[in-house]
Amino acid sequence: MFGFLRRKKTTPLTDEASTQEPTAAAEAAAEAAAPPTPAEAPAVAAASPTSAPVVAPASAPAVASAPPPAVTPEAGAARSSWLSNLRRGLARSRGNLATIFTGEAIEPALYEELEAALLMSDAGVETTAHLIKALRTEVRAQRLASGDQARAALRSLLADLLRPMEAPVDIDRAQPLVMMIAGVNGAGKTTSIGKLAHHLQRAGKSILLAAGDTFRAAAREQLAEWGARNQVEVIAQAGGDPAAVAFDAVSAGIARGTGVVMVDTAGRLPTQKHLMEELRKIRRVLAKALPEAPHETILVLDGNTGQNMLAQVRAFDEVAPLTGLIVTKLDGTAKGGALAALAYTRRERPIPVYFIGVGEGIDDLQAFSADEVAAALLG
């Protein structure tokens, strides 16, 4: 399972520190010329996420350390609980799909029932046709005979389809890393920002939040509540220009050396052209505050909206090119087939699903895993 966040192999604080790191060829030459004695062997120091990297003494050849393991927010019992919530949230789709493969033999009627079940799960016509064709090919090639074998094959095919959307967030690509969060009303943007801030703090990042929904007091209050919960400052102003708030937040983040600046934006429907144009303006202003910002443009999607997710992704991507997605509310009556439709329709340029949410708890936002979603859908 992918971790939440991706870190650089090394994060030197100064150019001088980076110049002390030898190349692989230089290390090999040094080792060949004079193998280190036990007393001269370089020490490997484990640094915390916020500490500076340790520079090896000049008398001993430095060893390039392997990248730290991906940061995962929960393990063990908490992870099992989260997976249970995911399975429960996708129970409707799983019930329709799993019962098809109960027979001891693969009958022609199985494909017809599977087609209906996939359509009912919001997989869409094209995605359904693709999966059934691939399953037929796999059954013939592997000479599968039982329903259980066919279900395992479909689970593998579904995981392969979803896997291009598996990716972590590179949190060290810039400082501050500027994230712009967008979505329709009620998708769970502000809540997702609060949960994401919590996990970024666990990775050692300092956070600054910008309340870009300047006209809705409840939105500012909700973000302020999450800020207080995470002990994170929130930059906000009532009735002001959202782009100005975003600019002020990034400028403050640069001045303070903040790790991540997250900009909340007002919920908007793709049909609201003036609000969609406002997203363009926010992006332009962010780029003026910091070149190449926003580094991440993330769309939050309500998992209960099914095929409507595809239209939202298309509309928002045209206005503000998306770098990632968060799919929320998969603990309710969500039809998980829409994730497969999203993967298939975006197969030429997949947009990573960074996180999926299955509840209201602060740790109920977890990294997307193709294998886990496929298993939750097909058992």
Side-chain angles (χ1 to χ4, degrees), residues 86-266:
L86 178 62
R87 286 179 56 83
R88 186 163 53 251
L90 299 179
R92 175 185 295 184
S93 296
R94 184 174 64 256
N96 292 334
L97 290 167
T99 55
I100 296 172
F101 301 99
T102 55
E104 294 183 358
I106 301 176
E107 303 291 344
L110 178 144
Y111 296 106
E112 296 178 5
E113 295 175 10
L114 178 60
E115 179 181 15
L118 286 171
L119 291 172
M120 289 178 63
S121 72
D122 270 343
V125 175
E126 292 183 358
T127 309
T128 296
H130 166 75
L131 287 172
I132 290 179
K133 181 180 179 180
L135 180 60
R136 286 181 182 273
T137 301
E138 189 71 9
V139 167
R140 287 195 300 267
Q142 301 297 328
R143 298 184 179 180
L144 306 181
S146 69
D148 286 341
Q149 290 176 329
R151 179 173 60 179
L154 181 60
R155 183 169 57 234
S156 178
L157 290 169
L158 180 59
D160 289 342
L161 178 63
L162 295 172
R163 195 160 286 115
M165 297 195 302
E166 244 182 17
V169 181
D170 186 354
I171 62 175
D172 290 326
R173 59 184 290 192
Q175 184 171 339
L177 180 74
V178 180
M179 294 180 166
M180 186 173 78
I181 316 296
V184 303
N185 302 51
K189 287 189 290 67
T190 306
T191 300
S192 296
I193 289 172
K195 294 176 181 179
L196 183 53
H198 171 69
H199 294 301
L200 285 165
Q201 284 181 314
R202 284 185 173 181
K205 288 291 184 179
S206 55
I207 311 295
L208 187 61
L209 303 180
D213 190 344
T214 59
F215 296 100
R216 197 165 62 93
R220 297 193 301 274
E221 292 170 1
Q222 185 183 11
L223 192 64
E225 183 179 340
W226 275 106
R229 189 173 179 180
N230 291 316
Q231 297 183 336
V232 169
E233 183 179 352
V234 178
I235 293 181
Q237 59 177 256
D241 183 359
V245 174
F247 184 92
D248 290 345
V250 174
S251 299
I254 294 171
R256 301 174 190 178
T258 304
V260 179
V261 176
M262 284 192 282
V263 180
D264 189 13
T265 60

Side-chain angles (χ1 to χ4, degrees), residues 308-375:
N308 188 254
M309 290 196 302
L310 308 184
Q312 291 180 36
V313 169
R314 184 167 55 251
F316 278 89
D317 192 44
E318 289 176 358
V319 173
L322 302 174
T323 60
L325 307 171
I326 297 176
V327 182
T328 64
K329 305 181 183 181
L330 287 177
D331 57 322
T333 58
K335 296 181 178 181
L339 288 171
L342 184 61
Y344 184 73
T345 56
R346 303 288 308 194
R347 62 192 181 279
E348 300 299 329
R349 191 180 76 84
I351 300 176
V353 176
Y354 287 146
F355 316 111
I356 54 178
V358 296
E360 294 297 325
I362 198 166
D363 288 320
D364 287 335
L365 188 72
Q366 294 279 340
F368 171 78
S369 165
D371 290 325
E372 289 174 355
V373 170

Side-chain angles (χ1 to χ4, degrees), residues 268-270 272-280 315 319:
R268 66 203 71 216
L269 295 174
Q272 296 173 307
K273 300 301 182 183
H274 63 293
L275 290 179
M276 295 299 283
E277 287 302 316
E278 184 181 78
L279 278 183
R280 293 186 196 270
V319 173

